Every structure is written in structure tokens, then in C-alpha cells.
Amino acid sequence: MIFPPDLIEEQISNVDQAWRLLNDKLPAFKKLYNVWEAWYKKIVTTKKIQSVIIDAVVISYARMAKRNGSLSLNPRSYHSEHHLDDLLYRLMALSHFETSEEIPDYGWSLLSLFMCCHDLRQSEENNNRDLIGNNERASFQEVIRIIDTVDKKKMIRQEHKELLKLMIHGSTFGKGEDNMGNIYKGNLVKYLLKDVAYFENIDKELAYIACDIDTANVSADLKDYAQSSINVYNEMQNISRVEISAQAFFGELQEQYFFDLQMFNSQLGKLAFSKHKERNAAKVREVSETIKLLDKNLSNEEVVDLYLKNINS
């Protein structure tokens, strides 16, 4: 299935347009950019690839802000540029662990790009028969067009584009079954790797790292975790054709996400995030059980207030 460019791609078709938008409408981006750029240039020293990745990250960030974030006419509560901020900071934090030295330069480059591009599209209909989400398909197709724009000297090799594809398609998350009866829980990387033999072990690890960072909100401070879950709920509520029960979301579904679906599959992800998730587990379980026992007549707003009160107590 082909997902063609939309109006946002036309408005932000190159890095100069991206910078003009960000400098004019989102000057706060420069603080994050300066931190990430200094980190990236220190960890990846090849100037030609630096230029390609930096330009692709800037274009992706600008499009995310304009299409889904604070510069959008219909901003999303969760899938905005603020989500990208969190992911880039988590990525940089990973590089301080000793075992991160095993990650090759192309790994840091692809991971940086993944953080800013894998959620570019969020409004595609999921009418496909297999398990890969159409948002993820469309996001990958868009980032390939970005790479074609900025990578005139073909610095990003084809096998690395295939790895980026595994990262993005594999970030499809949830609990599902395809028309052949194949079932997955969490992210799709393991499922996709069943039929692919050409990825090296380090590349499989990189795909797992990408998805681990994407769902590492479970390891954040409880206050931040609670806010991220509320942002997800509000976004789902805003785009859903039917009302979503806050009691179901913050009770059963929150418990399912935290304990059943989300898990860290990379060695580096486990090292960086698992202990913090374990620290949060008892409180998340307690609050989920409390929410499930609430009066069914409470409004969604009342449930959200009680969720926040309980998780911060």
C-alpha cells in the first residue's frame, strides 16, 4: 500500500523550510536540538553522515510539530513533538551505560532518526490484513522520502534502510491477530524477525532498543508516567468515534499495558529501564485495582481525577 505525501510534506519539503518554521514558531526546539546535536556529533564523528541525519531529524521534528503537535490545528495529546523530546533524552541517557559501547555509529544514527520519524503519521485507517499498522507503514514511507531529499550522496546504505524499516514497522504495538491466526503481544519485532534471516544480532538488538525506548514511560517517575497515560487517554478520546471509559482505560487496560504487553527486549533496555519499571509496579497495580472497583456511575473526569490522586499519594 502506498501512502502519498500530504500537505504537511509539501509545506516542509526541505531542511530550510523546517528551520524557518521551528525558529519562527517553536524556538524552544533549539534547546533540545543543541543538547542532542552536541551529543550526536561526539558519538558519531563522520561529518557526511552527521549532516544527513541532522537534517532528517530536523525535518521530521518540524513535520511532527506541524502535523500532530503544538503547531497543528488539531494537536494530539501524546503523539506530539513532546513525545520526541522524551525519546531523544532517553536515547542519550542510554549512551552512558557501559554496554552501549557495543552500538556501532550507524546504530546511533538510525536510533536518533527513529525517535523523530516513527510516529510521523497517526491518522491512517488500519484496514490491512496483517499486523503492521498503517501509521507505521506510512511513517516509514515518509522518512524514506525525507532521506531521498537530504541524502544526495547515498550515505545511508540500503541495509540500514531495511533496519530502519524493521524498527518502525516493529514499533506497531498492542495485542493482535492477523488473518493467518498469528498472534502478538507488545511490539512486532519478534514477530517480524520470524520470517527474516539477514539481520545480524546487533541489528536485531538495535530494533529492540528502538521499541524499548518508545515504551519506556513505564520506567519514568510515577508522576510523569501518570501524565503520559492521561495524554494517551485524551488522544484516544479525541479521535475515537465513541466515548472511551476512563474506568476501563485506567483500570483493566492500564494494568494490561504495564504488566502484560509492555516488556523490555533489548539487553541495553533492560539494563537502563527494568529496575525503574519494577519500582513502579506495585503502585501501578494498586491504583489499577482501585480504579476497577470505583462506582460505575462516576464520570470520566472524576475517574481521571481519582487516578491522579491515587497515583500521587
Side-chain angles (χ1 to χ4, degrees):
M1 185 178 296
I2 303 300
F3 299 89
D6 64 359
L7 180 62
I8 300 302
E9 284 197 52
E10 295 174 7
Q11 291 176 340
I12 310 171
S13 62
N14 57 58
V15 72
D16 291 334
Q17 290 174 333
W19 270 121
R20 279 198 293 273
L21 176 72
L22 292 167
N23 286 333
D24 184 38
K25 302 293 186 181
L26 203 64
F29 168 70
K30 204 66 167 64
K31 179 181 178 181
L32 167 71
Y33 173 80
N34 288 338
V35 173
W36 170 77
E37 183 196 35
W39 168 84
Y40 179 63
K41 286 185 173 180
K42 184 177 180 181
I43 207 165
V44 176
T45 57
T46 305
K47 293 187 182 300
K48 290 181 179 179
I49 195 66
Q50 283 178 358
S51 176
V52 170
I53 296 298
I54 289 170
D55 285 353
V57 162
V58 170
I59 292 171
S60 298
Y61 194 100
R63 288 184 185 175
M64 191 72 172
K66 182 66 174 175
R67 185 185 286 130
N68 302 318
S70 59
L71 303 183
S72 171
L73 295 175
N74 297 293
R76 290 176 175 266
S77 301
Y78 184 76
H79 288 107
S80 70
E81 77 275 9
H82 302 301
H83 181 48
L84 310 189
D85 298 347
D86 291 340
L87 299 187
L88 286 172
Y89 279 119
R90 288 176 198 162
L91 174 62
M92 289 185 280
L94 280 188
S95 67
H96 297 301
F97 288 85
E98 185 176 347
T99 56
S100 69
E101 295 175 1
E102 299 173 10
I103 295 180
D105 283 4
Y106 72 82
W108 293 117
S109 294
L110 295 179
L111 286 169
S112 291
L113 186 51
F114 170 89
M115 300 309 150
C116 292
C117 75
H118 76 285
D119 281 331
L120 277 169
R121 297 295 189 100
Q122 290 298 310
S123 301
E124 309 302 329
E125 292 288 336
N126 265 329
N127 53 5
N128 41 303
R129 293 184 177 181
D130 64 12
L131 293 172
I132 300 168
N134 279 344
N135 285 336
E136 288 75 17
R137 292 183 189 277
S139 295
F140 175 69
Q141 290 180 24
E142 180 169 341
V143 78
I144 288 298
R145 292 192 290 269
I146 292 174
I147 290 172
D148 289 342
T149 298
V150 301
D151 191 16
K152 300 303 183 184
K153 295 183 178 180
K154 308 298 181 185
M155 296 299 299
I156 300 180
R157 291 152 49 178
Q158 183 58 37
E159 57 262 40
H160 294 160
K161 292 178 184 178
E162 289 298 317
L163 176 54
L164 184 61
K165 181 179 181 179
L166 174 65
M167 290 176 172
I168 295 174
H169 284 187
S171 70
T172 306
F173 187 90
K175 183 178 182 180
E177 181 177 357
D178 67 11
N179 62 334
M180 300 297 290
N182 297 303
I183 300 172
Y184 81 103
K185 294 194 301 183
N187 68 63
L188 265 183
V189 175
K190 281 184 181 179
Y191 173 89
L192 296 178
L193 284 173
K194 288 180 181 178
D195 299 320
V196 180
Y198 52 78
F199 286 110
E200 301 288 341
N201 286 337
I202 185 60
D203 293 339
K204 296 175 185 178
E205 176 75 356
L206 287 167
Y208 287 130
I209 289 172
C211 294
D212 284 352
I213 293 174
D214 191 28
T215 60
N217 64 329
V218 294
S219 66
D221 290 341
L222 277 171
K223 182 179 180 180
D224 294 331
Y225 172 73
Q227 188 57 58
S228 73
S229 60
I230 289 171
N231 289 343
V232 172
Y233 173 74
N234 288 338
E235 180 171 315
M236 290 175 62
Q237 189 78 280
N238 288 338
I239 64 175
S240 176
R241 296 184 178 92
V242 296
E243 187 173 61
I244 298 171
S245 163
Q247 188 168 12
F249 183 86
F250 294 103
E252 180 181 353
L253 294 179
Q254 199 67 208
E255 206 168 34
Q256 183 184 72
Y257 167 70
F258 194 98
F259 295 101
D260 188 27
L261 300 183
Q262 196 285 333
M263 61 188 69
F264 297 116
N265 293 293
S266 70
Q267 293 304 309
L268 190 53
K270 290 174 184 175
L271 182 64
F273 303 124
S274 287
K275 287 184 180 179
H276 295 283
K277 178 182 179 178
E278 290 169 10
R279 199 176 301 159
N280 291 340
K283 188 66 173 181
V284 171
R285 176 86 71 186
E286 173 194 321
V287 173
S288 296
E289 292 298 326
T290 298
I291 295 297
K292 287 193 288 187
L293 295 173
L294 290 175
D295 187 334
K296 304 294 184 185
N297 294 317
L298 290 175
S299 69
N300 286 334
E301 290 77 12
E302 288 172 319
V303 171
V304 172
D305 288 343
L306 287 169
Y307 171 71
L308 264 180
K309 180 181 178 180
N310 277 275
I311 212 158
N312 290 323
S313 64

